[in-house]
C-alpha cells in the first residue's frame, strides 16, 4: 500500500468531483455522506489499511466525521 500521506491534525481537501464518506474504513461500509471537490476537513484518525487501500477518518467542516480513501485527499496549502 502507499505510505501514509498525512498526520493527525492535518488539514485536507478533496480532489475528485465527489467523494464518499463512510462509517468504517471499507469500500462496503455504509456511505454517510458525499462531499464535493474542495471540501475541507481535519484528519482525526488513521491511517488504516484495508485490502491495500489507505483510509483516514476526517472531521469535515460541513458534516460529521467519516472515513475516506487517501488517494482522493490532498493537503491544504
Amino acid at each position: 500500500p502507499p505510505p501514509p500521506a498525512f498526520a493527525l491534525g492535518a488539514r485536507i481537501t478533496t480532489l475528485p468531483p465527489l467523494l464518499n464518506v463512510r462509517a468504517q474504513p471499507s469500500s462496503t461500509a455504509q456511505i454517510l455522506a458525499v462531499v464535493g471537490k474542495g471540501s475541507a476537513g481535519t484528519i482525526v484518525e488513521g491511517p488504516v489499511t484495508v485490502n491495500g487501500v489507505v483510509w483516514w477518518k476526517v472531521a469535515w467542516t460541513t458534516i460529521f466525521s467519516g472515513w475516506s480513501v487517501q488517494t482522493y485527499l490532498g493537503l491544504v496549502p
Side-chain angles (χ1 to χ4, degrees):
F6 311 113
L8 295 180
R11 297 281 300 149
I12 56 88
T13 186
T14 57
L15 302 175
L18 295 174
L19 177 65
N20 292 330
V21 179
R22 296 186 179 269
Q24 299 295 324
S26 169
S27 60
T28 59
Q30 175 188 6
I31 296 173
L32 300 174
V34 177
V35 293
K37 184 174 184 171
S39 295
T42 303
I43 299 290
V44 295
E45 195 174 329
V48 173
T49 302
V50 178
N51 295 327
V53 177
V54 179
W55 295 81
W56 294 91
K57 189 169 188 180
V58 179
W60 297 98
T61 56
T62 55
I63 59 166
F64 44 87
S65 299
W67 293 88
S68 294
V69 176
Q70 172 175 288
T71 305
Y72 306 114
L73 303 173
L75 285 172
V76 171

